[in-house]
Amino acid sequence: MMTKSAMDMKKMTIFFLIPSIFLFFMVGCRHANNDIKVKKNGPQVLIMPEKGAYTGAYVDFGDGESHVTFDALEDLEKMIGRHLAVVAFGNFWGEQTFPQRQLEIISRYGAIPLVFWSPWDRPYQESRGPDRFNLRSILKGRWDGYIDKWADAARRYGKPILVSWGLEMNGTWFPWSGYFYGGGKVVRRKGSVVLYQGPELYKKAYRYVVDRVRARGADNILWGFHVNHYGLPQAAWNRIANYYPGPEYVDWLGLSVYGKMFKWQDWASFYDVMDNAYKEICGLDPIKPVIVAEWGVGEFPPADKAGFVKEALSGFETRYTRVKAAIYWHERWQNEDGSFSNLHVNSSPEALEAYREGIASPYWIDRPKFRCKDSER
C-alpha cells in the first residue's frame, strides 16, 4: 500500500486452484485438518482450499509497517470475531534486517506471514524517485551481501513466508516504479510485442532477487507479483502484463484494491475498483493463486462504507472466486490538510458489523491448513 503522503496520487476508477496444487515448506507436518500432529518431521504442504479463502489483515503496525505485536493481532481478532490466517507487514531494505521477531510473533499467533519486502531507503517518503536501493544498483550486485544474509535467515526460519517484492510497481509513488526507469521508452520489439524500458528493468531486478534468494536454498518463500489495481500513468506501456516476470518466478498473483481514501475522491463500489484489475491479473496465468494482498476503504459519510465492505466480502465468494486470501488494510492516518483517512474496520459500527457478518461465512477460513508432502509419495 502507498503510505500516507502519496496515497492521494492513486486514481479511483487467483488462487483459482485445482486440488493437486500445493505450496511446500520445510517444517514439521500436520494432517489437513490441522489438529492431529505427525511425529515425523518433513516437508509441509500449505493447502489452498478449492472453495473458500483465507482471512487476513495488516493491523496498523506504524511507520515502516513493521511494528508487529501479539496484542494488536489478538485485539483485532476479538473485534472482528475471527482469527487471521494471514498477517501482512513491511520489511524495508533501509533497515538492512531480516524480520525474525515479526515472523516469530505471527507464527506463534498461528498465521502465515505476508512480507512486503521493499527496496526502499529512509526516510520512507514516496514520489522522491530512486534511492540507494535503485534497481540498477541491485542489478550491479551492490546489495548481494544483504540479499544473501536475508535469504540465509529465511532458510533457517524454515516456515512458510509469502513475500511481495517491489509491490505496486505500476504506480508513481515508490522508487522502484517503472515510471522512474525510462517508463514507456521502447527498447525492443518482438513481433507484435513491444518491450518498454521501465517494465523491462523492473522484471530484470525482480528475477535477479528471486534467483539469488533461491540459490541460497530459501525454498520456503512464495514469491508474489503484486500490482496496484489501477496503473498511474494510464498508458499502454504501464499495463500490468508488461511487468510480469514470468511464471517460473511467481508463486502467487497479488492485487491492491482500494475504494475512496480521501475526501476529494469520488465514491466507487468495490466492483468498480476490482473488476478490471481482477480480469487483467487472472489473464497472466490460468492457475496461479490470486491474493488480494491489500484492500480497504475510508469512512466518508454519507457514503456507504458498510455497503462497500459487504459487497467486497460477498464478491470474493461469488464473483472473484480465484481469490484465495484477502488482507484488509486496517489503518487510520491524518492527511496534510487535517482530514483523516480512516480505513479501520471499526471506523463506524455499521462498517464493523458488515465486516463481522461477512467473514462469519463458512467461506472464510481463519487458520492455515497443512498436510505432509511425504504422505503423497
Side-chain angles (χ1 to χ4, degrees):
M1 180 187 187
M2 294 178 294
T3 54
K4 307 176 184 64
S5 63
M7 288 183 70
D8 57 355
M9 298 184 66
K10 272 189 172 180
K11 302 291 184 179
M12 301 293 297
T13 14
I14 325 190
F15 242 62
F16 170 73
L17 207 59
I18 59 177
S20 60
I21 294 178
F22 308 111
L23 309 177
F24 304 103
F25 305 103
M26 298 300 295
V27 292
C29 294
R30 295 177 183 267
H31 284 298
N33 63 13
N34 223 29
D35 295 325
I36 303 173
K37 293 183 179 180
V38 177
K39 293 181 179 180
K40 182 180 178 180
N41 290 331
Q44 191 179 64
V45 176
L46 173 64
I47 302 171
M48 287 296 168
E50 297 175 56
K51 294 182 180 180
Y54 285 131
T55 57
Y58 165 83
V59 196
D60 208 349
F61 292 133
D63 292 341
E65 302 172 1
S66 62
H67 303 301
V68 178
T69 69
F70 199 90
D71 286 347
L73 299 178
E74 285 197 323
D75 288 347
L76 184 64
E77 177 180 333
K78 291 175 183 176
M79 182 189 300
I80 65 177
R82 295 299 295 272
H83 188 269
L84 300 171
V86 182
V87 173
F89 70 96
N91 180 225
F92 301 159
W93 285 34
E95 305 307 307
Q96 292 288 284
T97 59
F98 178 77
Q100 185 72 32
R101 180 187 65 82
Q102 293 91 330
L103 295 178
E104 289 174 353
I105 291 171
I106 294 168
S107 177
R108 189 164 70 250
Y109 171 76
I112 300 296
L114 167 54
V115 182
F116 302 126
W117 193 27
S118 301
W120 200 3
D121 199 13
R122 295 184 182 183
Y124 303 121
Q125 297 174 355
E126 302 82 0
S127 306
R128 294 188 304 131
D131 54 37
R132 63 176 175 145
F133 301 116
N134 65 82
L135 300 184
R136 293 186 178 89
S137 72
I138 292 172
L139 289 168
K140 290 178 180 177
R142 182 176 177 185
W143 304 107
D144 285 356
Y146 166 64
I147 295 170
D148 291 351
K149 289 180 181 178
W150 198 98
D152 290 345
R155 185 191 67 248
R156 289 192 296 269
Y157 175 74
K159 299 176 185 179
I161 310 173
L162 298 167
V163 172
S164 168
W165 186 88
L167 71 160
E168 297 179 1
M169 78 303 295
N170 59 326
T172 60
W173 38 89
F174 289 136
W176 53 85
S177 299
Y179 174 80
F180 294 114
Y181 293 93
K185 181 179 178 181
V186 176
V187 293
R188 192 163 76 255
R189 295 179 185 273
K190 298 173 65 176
S192 61
V193 178
V194 181
L195 303 180
Y196 301 101
Q197 185 168 303
E200 287 301 300
L201 190 64
Y202 172 85
K203 286 190 290 189
K204 289 180 182 178
Y206 182 105
R207 292 166 181 158
Y208 183 92
V209 172
V210 172
D211 281 339
R212 193 158 193 98
V213 173
R214 286 176 173 172
R216 308 293 292 193
D219 57 2
N220 54 314
I221 294 175
L222 291 173
W223 296 96
F225 174 66
H226 177 180
V227 302
N228 191 51
H229 75 99
Y230 198 72
L232 189 66
Q234 301 174 43
W237 70 264
N238 201 33
R239 292 181 62 83
I240 290 172
N242 291 331
Y243 291 95
Y244 188 52
E248 66 273 27
Y249 286 93
V250 174
D251 296 300
W252 53 275
L253 305 170
L255 284 173
S256 293
V257 186
Y258 290 98
K260 179 173 179 173
M261 293 184 289
F262 301 94
K263 65 180 183 180
W264 55 265
Q265 291 178 318
D266 293 329
W267 188 262
S269 73
F270 184 76
Y271 294 162
D272 289 337
V273 295
M274 179 69 170
D275 277 355
N276 289 339
Y278 178 74
K279 181 179 179 180
E280 281 192 64
I281 205 159
C282 286
L284 297 179
D285 189 282
I287 61 172
K288 292 288 184 188
V290 174
I291 294 177
V292 176
E294 305 177 24
W295 75 278
V297 65
E299 185 78 57
F300 296 98
D304 186 10
K305 176 173 179 173
F308 183 100
V309 170
K310 182 178 180 180
E311 186 174 77
L313 293 172
S314 174
F316 290 134
E317 185 171 350
T318 62
R319 188 166 175 156
Y320 311 113
T321 55
R322 286 187 63 176
V323 172
K324 290 300 169 183
I327 290 78
Y328 188 85
W329 197 271
H330 179 70
E331 186 179 16
R332 175 181 180 271
W333 65 88
Q334 186 172 17
N335 301 303
E336 291 183 1
D337 63 1
S339 65
F340 285 88
S341 294
N342 190 352
L343 276 66
H344 278 169
V345 71
N346 61 328
S347 58
S348 67
E350 295 80 9
L352 177 58
E353 184 62 22
Y355 192 86
R356 287 177 61 91
E357 287 185 359
I359 64 167
S361 166
Y363 188 84
W364 292 99
I365 300 167
D366 62 4
R367 294 178 187 274
K369 298 182 179 181
F370 305 94
R371 71 175 56 164
C372 285
K373 180 181 178 183
D374 290 345
S375 67
E376 298 168 8
R377 295 174 181 171

